[in-house]
Amino acid sequence: MASRRDAPAGPAPVVVASGLTRLYAVSEREAGLAAALRSVLRRSVRQVRAVDGVTFEVGPGEIVGFLGPNGAGKTTTLKMLAGLLHPTEGRAEVLGHAPAERRPEFLRQITLVTGQRSQLQWDIPAADSFELHRAVYRIPPARYRRILADLDAMLDLGPLLGKPVRNLSLGERMKCEVAAALLHEPRVLFLDEPTLGLDVVAQRRIRSFLADYNRRTGATILLTSHYMADVQALCRRVIVIHHGRLLFDGLLEALAGRLLPHKVIVVQPSDPAADLRPYGEVTERAPGEVTLRVPRAAAPAVAARILAEVAVDDVSILDPPIEDVVEQIFSAGRAPESGAGLRP
Amino acid sequence: MKEGGRLAQGPGTVPLAGAARSLWDVYRAEFRTSVAVQMQYRAAQLIWLLGTVLGPVVYLAVWSAVAAASGGTVGGYDRHTFAAYYLTLMLVNQVTFTWIMYEFQGRIREGSFTPLILRPVHPIHGDVADNLAHKALTLAVLLPTAAALAVAFRPAFRGLPPLDALLLLPSLVLAFVLRFAVEWTLALAAFWTVRTSALNGLYEGVLLFLSGQVAPLPLLPQPLRALADVLPFRFMVAFPVSLAVGRPLPAAAVLGLSAQALWAAAAVAALLVVWRAAVRRYAAVGG
Amino acid sequence: MIEALRLFAAFVRVAVHREVAYRANLVAQTVQSVVGLGTALGGLAVVFAHTATLAGWPPSELVALVGVFQMVGGAIGFAIQPAMQRLMEEVRTGALDFTLLQPADSQVLVSVREVSVYRLTDVALGAALLGAALARLGARLGPGRIAAFTLALAAGGAVVYAVWLALATCAFWWVRVDNVLVIFETLYDAGRWPVSIYPGWLRGALTFLIPVALATSVPVEALTGALRGRTLALAAVVAAAALVLSRLLWRAGLRAYSGASG
């Protein structure tokens, strides 16, 4: 059992980010031929701060969720920690290494999974990609067989491995992606939207697998996700990043009350002119669809009232998207705050 | 989906003048789009041009070396007449070449043919317009390049007799029609097999020898030369080139042009037949 | 180097595994290889119908040149081109991230991990043709010439690899460079003839800019004894320099990719 971050006098941190900053140079050009010619001579370049002075530590065995709207700097932070991007300023340290040096002994202990891109080769069966992985990571055959058997038991890969990856469904492919990423038994996992686009069943499957893997191996996991459910199921601790700055670092429950005070009710009224304002705050009105925000506890009752009193085609109760909530809570330049349980 | 489009329709369904006008509109629109698209890939266009230029230059260098080794002339050609031959060939080749056989592979593989088949215009018109757009754009670079090569290789052009000059334009048009129809027809093989690259390679090899690119046809050794005489490939490149740089007797020129016209007509007929079969096949297999 | 060969073997194994399922590809590729060879030999037949030597090269030496041309072309198509195309593709899509996170030298990894197995037919056909041509050259072949040939071929291969890597590395700065590779393919075609027949500017381009000649004409000259020792030494130096330069360029490309300064 891995020691958790609330253990007294925890061991040395696995991941350290200290004043981590990343600037992107974005070249700008006005439209038009004259501007194009001018830009040949003098390109106007603007510096964008994708990540701005982010500092945190993660202990062994922790699962930490990164929250923040699109473009907040989550992925850039992960990429700096994995060694794909050099920090412009500040320092990253993972397992005692500077990630950007990409030393083989460092790379052998980490892995990166992204829901958007595939590391498996499209045209060959996943088993062949695994075999290449084994060669590159120099995994001894006996150990490889054991790991593969374990992963198979947990993810039920058997029937998938022989098919060309392009013939797999997204959920099946993601299982293979996750398995490929874990073949070398990494100690640190960087997961960037690992459940993106998956159906609910597949999401739950991946989630419970990751939790299980963390329990069994004590691996440290850093995770970004669009889905609140991912974070709620896996992470006790969350880090909120917005406009490249760290806004919150602490226990999920300390944030949850603030983060999720509302539920969203989406109504498709049969009569497009129906007035739903009495039931809650109307946040969006699309043709044939009205979105309401209601207090969390009241949501079931309000939905029942709508069903009883308004002619509707459909009603659904949803968690507000993380993006919206984070944007809403931390917008308007509110000062960064720290929750309870913040690491010293 | 039985009819591929207007080309396949019998006459009389649309008044001829109206049909011609609407086809003209199709060409104008396709041409404009193609120019816009190809302008996005200017660098790629220039790189393609490198192949157009380098092929003739390589054979020109080879034959200049042969002429030098044989005391200055081979079969009546010297360095300067070879230069005239290959520079002209470069331009004629540029006018007549197509990349359609390679394009079809991708179209079938990616399924981008389905919308083309459903349009009420035969898809070949879009391809012709696309081809012409590429040529119009690259001409601006090719002509200066040809001029520079002319300075480097000093070709010996002769004055073009009026009759040949008169015949050159129709022979270029016919060469374009013939080559386009043949290659478009061969490209349809992609409807039957996904591996058309072998066929493409074979065709390119044959074309290289029998259209006058490896050597002026009179220099080919005997069995090849007889083959070149009876097959249509020489009318795709070598014949217009010989009109421009050779000294054909007027009778031979007119005879050649007639033969070229017959081959072009035959190729268009073959195209129509194979296209119908291909569309039937497409409908049956479901793409 | 051993590490590179070990990885290469692993990737070839998987590629063979994948390709045996598509035997029709073998047939198609064989047809193409034979057509390519036939075109080259046919060209020679046409030329030598009119002359006894081309720029001092007798027919048997030119046949050897065609053999080497086919072999080297096949080797490029087998190992170098597919790997470099995949590299550019991955730079564009961002999938290179996964490659960079693997615990092996990234340059080695991107260079060995994609092969087109069936292009080996070109290597086989070219080698057979070269063998036939050598049999006719016969007795004049001493071990010294064989060694010089091997060295020249290795140097030429190294230079070709370095040029491809350099071209593909451009993708780090200009994302759409696929077409740059067409430049190499186009110029490579000129390598089936002795480079000495070309006018100066083209000869220069084929020797220094896109050094096709180093991989085709020069090795054959080593076989026929037409190559001076100094040229061979120069080729070796050029090859070493090209490898070093391509390595530096690769590093610079990676730095640009990950945004390190300096």
Side-chain angles (χ1 to χ4, degrees), chain A residues 297-337:
Chain A
V302 171
R305 268 177 55 215
I306 293 175
L307 279 170
E309 296 165 12
V310 185
V312 295
D313 293 338
D314 194 20
V315 171
S316 38
I317 307 180
L318 304 170
D319 273 327
I322 286 183
E323 269 70 19
D324 296 1
V325 178
V326 171
E327 182 79 41
Q328 183 195 334
I329 292 182
F330 296 104
S331 62
R334 293 254 300 263
E337 34 191 319

Side-chain angles (χ1 to χ4, degrees), chain A residues 130-148:
Chain A
F130 286 11
E131 188 60 31
L132 291 174
H133 198 87
R134 186 184 75 72
V136 171
Y137 282 84
R138 294 166 169 268
I139 307 168
R143 197 175 131 206
Y144 174 73
R145 277 194 299 276
R146 174 183 59 74
I147 299 166
L148 197 55

Side-chain angles (χ1 to χ4, degrees), chain B residues 117-176:
Chain B
I117 251 175
L118 291 175
R119 289 168 60 186
V121 178
H122 197 290
I124 197 171
H125 298 307
D127 290 337
V128 172
D130 196 35
N131 191 296
L132 294 178
H134 170 78
K135 276 136 188 208
L137 287 179
T138 47
L139 213 57
V141 182
L142 191 67
L143 286 180
T145 310
L149 289 174
V151 171
F153 289 102
R154 287 180 292 132
F157 284 106
R158 69 201 165 88
L160 209 56
L163 178 67
D164 294 358
L166 209 64
L167 295 181
L168 190 57
L169 190 64
S171 111
L172 270 177
V173 172
L174 285 172
F176 177 83

Side-chain angles (χ1 to χ4, degrees), chain B residues 195, chain C residues 16 18-30 118:
Chain B
R195 290 178 200 83
Chain C
V16 169
R18 169 186 55 190
E19 288 295 323
V20 284
Y22 304 104
R23 244 164 281 171
N25 284 347
L26 175 62
V27 176
Q29 180 57 52
T30 308
Y118 291 138

Side-chain angles (χ1 to χ4, degrees), chain B residues 13-272:
Chain B
T13 47
V14 184
L16 210 55
R21 202 176 319 118
S22 71
L23 195 56
W24 171 245
D25 287 340
V26 168
Y27 267 86
R28 274 218 327 235
E30 292 276 4
F31 188 85
R32 261 204 307 271
T33 323
S34 292
V35 167
V37 169
Q38 294 185 29
M39 281 302 279
Q40 299 291 314
Y41 299 98
R42 275 160 297 191
Q45 308 275 322
L46 284 182
I47 286 167
W48 278 31
L49 214 52
L50 188 65
T52 311
V53 171
L54 202 65
V57 166
V58 165
Y59 283 109
L60 173 54
V62 170
W63 286 108
S64 298
V66 173
S70 329
T73 62
V74 176
Y77 288 84
D78 65 12
R79 280 174 52 198
H80 303 292
T81 42
F82 272 126
Y85 180 86
Y86 275 109
L87 288 183
T88 310
L89 179 131
M90 186 178 94
L91 295 173
V92 172
N93 205 16
Q94 169 71 9
V95 169
T96 61
F97 96 100
T98 86
W99 58 91
I100 201 70
M101 297 172 76
Y102 301 93
E103 182 128 352
F104 260 66
Q105 286 179 333
R107 279 184 190 171
I108 298 295
R109 203 175 33 235
E110 289 152 22
S112 58
F113 212 94
T114 310
L116 293 181
I117 251 175
L118 291 175
R119 289 168 60 186
V121 178
H122 197 290
I124 197 171
H125 298 307
D127 290 337
V128 172
D130 196 35
N131 191 296
L132 294 178
H134 170 78
K135 276 136 188 208
L137 287 179
T138 47
L139 213 57
V141 182
L142 191 67
L143 286 180
T145 310
L149 289 174
V151 171
F153 289 102
R154 287 180 292 132
F157 284 106
R158 69 201 165 88
L160 209 56
L163 178 67
D164 294 358
L166 209 64
L167 295 181
L168 190 57
L169 190 64
S171 111
L172 270 177
V173 172
L174 285 172
F176 177 83
V177 171
L178 171 64
R179 190 163 174 186
F180 206 97
V182 165
E183 293 182 4
W184 212 83
T185 308
L186 288 174
L188 290 175
F191 278 84
W192 282 270
T193 169
V194 289
R195 290 178 200 83
T196 49
S197 50
L199 175 70
N200 296 357
L202 203 59
Y203 172 79
E204 290 225 325
V206 169
L207 194 66
L208 208 56
F209 283 89
L210 301 188
S211 73
Q213 312 203 40
V214 167
L217 294 181
L219 294 187
L220 288 183
Q222 199 28 258
L224 273 181
R225 196 168 146 191
L227 215 56
D229 278 342
V230 299
L231 292 175
F233 302 103
R234 67 189 176 111
F235 292 113
M236 298 177 182
V237 182
F239 179 66
V241 176
S242 72
L243 274 187
V245 304
R247 294 173 200 282
L249 297 171
V254 173
L255 199 66
L257 202 64
S258 316
Q260 197 184 19
L262 283 178
W263 276 117
V268 171
L271 183 152
L272 292 177

Side-chain angles (χ1 to χ4, degrees), chain C residues 125-139:
Chain C
L125 276 177
L129 191 65
L130 178 65
L134 292 190
R136 296 196 62 184
L137 286 170

